[in-house]
Amino acid sequence: MLDVTVIEDAAAAAVSLDPMRARLLAELAAGPASATMLAARVGLPRQKVNYHLKALERHGLVELAGERRKGNVTERLMRATAASYVISPLALAEVQPDPGRFRDQLSARWLLALAARLVRDVGALITGAAKARKGLATYALDAEVRFGSAAERAAFVEELTRGVAALVAKYHDDHAESGRDHRIVVALHPTVKIHPAVNTAVDTAEPGVEPGGAVPGVPAVPARPSEDATTTAG
C-alpha cells in the first residue's frame, strides 16, 4: 500500500468524494476486509457495500488482497491502494488554477494556485515514473518558525529571497544540453492546526495583528505571530 496517491481522473475523484465510499476507503486503509465485515462496521447491507466496493475497484482505489472460504462462500478481501488520497487539479482540468494568469507574492490565492500546480505536477511525475518503473528525484523541506515581530519576519523573507536567488544563479546552466529543468517553490504562510474533534483546519494566528513594513526590494508579508515555511523542488 502506498502512503499517498494522487487521483487525476474526474470520475475517480467523484467516486472517492462519496461519503460512504470515503468511509469504506478509510476502513480498508486500516487493513483488508470483506464486504460482510465492512457491512457490520458501516451499518449497510452487504449487497450495498459490494456495490460501493465495485465502484472503488473500477477506479483503482481498492484492490483484491486475497480470498477466503466461509462455508460455501468465497469472500473477497479488499484493501485500499493507498493510506490517503489527494485529488489533482487535473480532475477539474478545465477550471484548474493557473499561476501564470497573475503573479502576486502577497496573494494567498496565488499561493493556492502554486500549491495546486505542485500537486498536479508531482502527481503526474509519480504516475509517469510508476509506468516507466523508474525512480523519481524530488526534495522537500518543511519547517516551522515563530517570529517575534513583523520586522523579524520581513528580514527572514529578505534573507530567504536573496539566498534562493543566489543558489539559482550559481547552479542554473542554460547551456547544459543534457540538463533537466527543475521547479522550486518557496512558501510562507500562517501555521494551521487541525482540530481533532471536528477534523477542521484552525488558523492559530491571533486576531488584530497589523501587517509590518516592507523590506526594500522584497514584498511585504502580512503579519502573523506564527508562520510555516515550506520549500519544495521537483
Side-chain angles (χ1 to χ4, degrees):
M1 179 191 295
L2 300 172
D3 290 333
V4 61
T5 193
V6 179
I7 298 173
E8 298 176 324
D9 178 69
V15 166
S16 69
L17 290 172
D18 176 271
M20 180 51 65
R21 290 169 182 171
R23 169 76 185 281
L24 293 173
L25 282 175
E27 292 288 344
L28 293 174
S34 67
T36 301
M37 296 165 62
L38 291 168
R41 297 177 192 173
V42 302
L44 281 183
R46 181 179 58 81
Q47 293 83 353
K48 285 279 189 181
V49 171
N50 260 326
Y51 169 77
H52 290 308
L53 289 177
K54 288 178 180 178
L56 292 168
E57 188 176 13
R58 279 197 304 271
H59 294 286
L61 302 176
V62 302
E63 62 187 3
L64 183 66
E67 295 180 337
R68 71 177 183 182
R69 292 287 296 180
K70 192 173 183 181
N72 296 324
V73 177
T74 299
E75 287 189 334
R76 304 175 80 227
L77 297 174
M78 307 301 295
R79 65 184 174 195
T81 55
S84 56
Y85 301 83
V86 176
I87 297 178
S88 169
L90 287 176
L92 292 171
E94 294 182 358
V95 291
Q96 64 178 305
D98 179 8
R101 292 175 186 163
F102 67 100
R103 182 181 179 89
D104 182 357
Q105 290 176 291
L106 295 178
S107 170
R109 297 187 186 279
W110 188 62
L111 175 57
L112 187 61
L114 287 175
R117 184 182 64 189
L118 182 63
V119 170
R120 181 199 68 191
D121 291 354
V122 175
L125 288 168
I126 290 173
T127 300
K131 289 180 179 178
R133 296 184 179 180
K134 292 183 177 181
L136 181 61
T138 63
Y139 168 79
L141 172 65
D142 182 29
E144 188 168 325
V145 55
R146 179 182 293 271
F147 297 112
S149 66
E152 287 185 1
R153 188 197 58 257
F156 175 88
V157 170
E158 178 185 26
E159 190 171 342
L160 179 64
T161 302
R162 290 174 179 170
V164 172
L167 284 172
V168 170
K170 179 179 179 179
Y171 289 100
H172 179 67
D173 187 352
D174 267 332
H175 306 293
E177 294 183 1
S178 60
R180 182 174 183 180
D181 292 336
H182 284 66
R183 183 178 298 281
I184 299 172
V185 178
V186 180
L188 183 70
H189 62 80
T191 299
V192 174
K193 303 298 184 184
I194 300 298
H195 194 293
V198 293
N199 196 29
T200 301
V202 178
D203 188 349
T204 59
E206 297 176 0
V209 180
E210 296 298 325
V215 174
V218 180
V221 179
R224 299 281 185 153
S226 178
E227 310 277 341
D228 178 62
T230 304
T231 304
T232 62

